[in-house]
Amino acid sequence: MSAKNHKKDDILYKEELKRKITKLKKERNAAIIVHNYQRDEIQEIADFSGDSLALARAAIDTKAEILVFCGVHFMAESASILNPDKKVLLPVKEAGCPLADMITVPSLRQKKKEFPRAAVVCYVNSSAEIKAESDISCTSSNAIEVVKSIKNKRIIFVPDKNLGRYVQSQVPEKDIILWEGYCPTHLRLTEEDVVKAKKNFPGSEFIAHPECRPEVLKLADHICSTAGMFKYARASKAKEFIIGTEGGMLYKLKKENPDKKFCLPTPRLVCANMKLTTLGWVVHSLESLVYEVKVSPQIRERARQTLERMLRVTEKPALKR
Ligand code: 13P
């Protein structure tokens, strides 16, 4: 078969799968919730797409009984914690987050013992058990606000050291104890990659996710969450942008800004876990109602409080452990 025919078949196959998903969604009263790093074809079928914070809110707001979460495990888990009456499905059960796996409950308990007066802020990229052990959660779009809202001077920030270090630079009045965790995808982006991309695209702006290394963040014109990147690209007068985060972002950035150019500083910015979800797996998930993500009631209740404190942070100015 020629490459052209193969491509045509692939497009027809994907259209067929999308039709199946539309039909199944109606029959099941399901909503497809999609993170910005997902494959283009998954973003195309989204009822809602966004950053981690927006997805947590969307999961609460939707009237659907079933949530098909196209993202990674901790995202579906947060949706399940906040919506215990809804069925939350993760189409590929192996879609995990290596960063979330870089901390365990015993090691966090040990750290809490060492710093008994510190408040624990956990990045949403963490397990339900870690959330249950923490005082408040945060995402990359509200981490600064969350940390500022805490009365304690000392804060144990887990598990992302790069986000924690960035927050420390923005909130110098706090004493932030960092955890040795990182996102392997963002870590692949080096200072040299950015310098080279800036040379190749003179006049462009470099937007970076706070999970990037500090040397990379130093070169950024703007640092923000994935949702913040859409906002910034829309508002900026620049015509070209270098995007310092996972490549899935290019889909919506290009769609929303047809008159602007977007590029990745390196092709290595691919999160293998995010790319596990395909249209075929979404069909399978809706047909067989798999893989349900559930949290035990004891863990759920404490993790829910941690997430809800984060959601209320703009209304509630102070939290004391
Ligand atoms: P956002 O909250 O910015 O979408 O980031 C999620 C994430 O997992 C980054 O690696």
Side-chain angles (χ1 to χ4, degrees):
M1 195 194 285
S2 73
K4 206 171 153 193
N5 279 345
H6 188 76
K7 201 169 173 200
K8 209 168 128 196
D9 271 6
D10 188 48
I11 293 170
L12 288 173
Y13 178 58
K14 282 182 177 162
E15 288 312 314
E16 171 71 28
L17 291 174
K18 283 184 196 165
R19 275 195 293 278
K20 266 194 183 168
I21 291 168
T22 309
K23 186 168 169 277
L24 282 162
K25 235 172 48 173
K26 264 198 199 131
E27 287 168 11
R28 300 287 200 198
N29 186 19
I32 315 272
I33 305 207
V34 175
H35 187 263
N36 294 323
Y37 293 162
Q38 290 284 295
R39 291 169 182 270
D40 296 2
E41 62 268 32
I42 299 294
Q43 298 197 42
E44 279 164 17
I45 56 156
D47 291 303
F48 188 87
S49 67
D51 70 352
S52 311
L53 181 63
L55 297 190
R57 289 197 196 277
I60 298 171
D61 293 343
T62 175
K63 299 245 174 334
E65 288 162 82
I66 295 174
L67 308 179
V68 180
F69 230 93
C70 301
V72 290
H73 188 268
F74 77 82
M75 295 177 177
E77 198 176 54
S78 298
S80 172
I81 292 165
L82 292 166
N83 303 275
D85 300 332
K86 289 179 185 164
K87 199 186 255 306
V88 179
L89 305 175
L90 185 68
V92 181
K93 65 169 178 294
E94 293 80 13
C97 172
L99 166 60
D101 294 339
M102 289 181 189
I103 183 166
T104 61
V105 170
S107 58
L108 177 55
R109 285 192 181 150
Q110 180 56 37
K111 193 59 92 188
K112 283 164 71 172
K113 259 193 209 155
E114 280 172 46
F115 300 98
R117 280 150 53 117
V120 180
V121 177
C122 71
Y123 189 29
V124 72
N125 300 40
S126 55
S127 67
E129 288 77 8
I130 294 298
K131 290 188 177 84
E133 283 291 321
S134 303
D135 295 297
I136 187 164
S137 203
C138 74
T139 70
S140 54
S141 62
N142 63 16
I144 294 171
E145 239 181 315
V146 164
V147 165
K148 280 185 176 167
S149 78
I150 296 169
K151 275 192 178 165
N152 311 45
K153 180 168 168 60
R154 191 165 262 179
I155 287 159
I156 302 170
F157 191 97
V158 300
D160 190 312
K161 64 176 175 185
N162 291 320
L163 176 63
R165 200 184 286 112
Y166 171 64
V167 174
Q168 175 73 86
S169 72
Q170 302 301 303
V171 195
E173 65 274 22
K174 298 289 182 193
D175 175 10
I176 300 184
I177 298 149
L178 302 174
W179 197 265
E180 243 333 288
Y182 55 87
C183 163
T185 302
H186 284 92
L187 209 76
R188 272 183 234 129
L189 176 58
T190 65
E191 199 181 352
E192 295 79 66
D193 292 326
V194 180
V195 170
K196 213 165 138 192
K198 282 192 168 205
K199 258 195 204 141
N200 290 339
F201 299 96
S204 60
E205 287 195 307
F206 172 50
I207 320 176
H209 195 279
E211 284 180 23
C212 292
R213 317 162 169 265
E215 312 90 84
V216 166
L217 293 182
K218 264 196 199 134
L219 299 173
D221 294 294
H222 189 59
I223 299 168
C224 57
S225 75
T226 58
M229 290 187 183
F230 295 119
K231 209 169 145 195
Y232 186 82
R234 244 179 270 134
S236 169
K237 286 200 169 64
K239 287 284 173 205
E240 292 193 355
F241 301 85
I242 302 162
I243 301 302
T245 194
E246 213 276 344
M249 283 295 292
L250 297 191
Y251 168 78
K252 215 158 69 179
L253 280 168
K254 287 180 180 173
K255 198 173 157 197
E256 288 186 355
N257 305 277
D259 56 326
K260 298 182 177 180
K261 279 195 177 148
F262 300 91
C263 73
L264 293 180
T266 164
R268 298 189 304 276
L269 280 169
V270 177
C271 171
N273 285 283
M274 281 284 179
K275 298 314 193 230
L276 287 174
T277 310
T278 59
L279 292 172
W281 281 116
V282 175
V283 171
H284 177 247
S285 178
L286 280 162
E287 273 176 351
S288 313
L289 295 181
V290 289
Y291 295 90
E292 187 167 7
V293 175
K294 264 195 167 308
V295 179
S296 74
Q298 309 95 292
I299 299 288
R300 191 188 70 220
E301 186 44 34
R302 287 159 56 217
R304 183 184 61 76
Q305 288 175 26
T306 304
L307 281 166
E308 286 185 352
R309 277 188 207 117
M310 168 188 76
L311 295 172
R312 283 197 304 265
V313 94
T314 43
E315 298 151 36
K316 284 206 167 180
L319 163 85
K320 177 92 181 152
R321 246 187 96 194

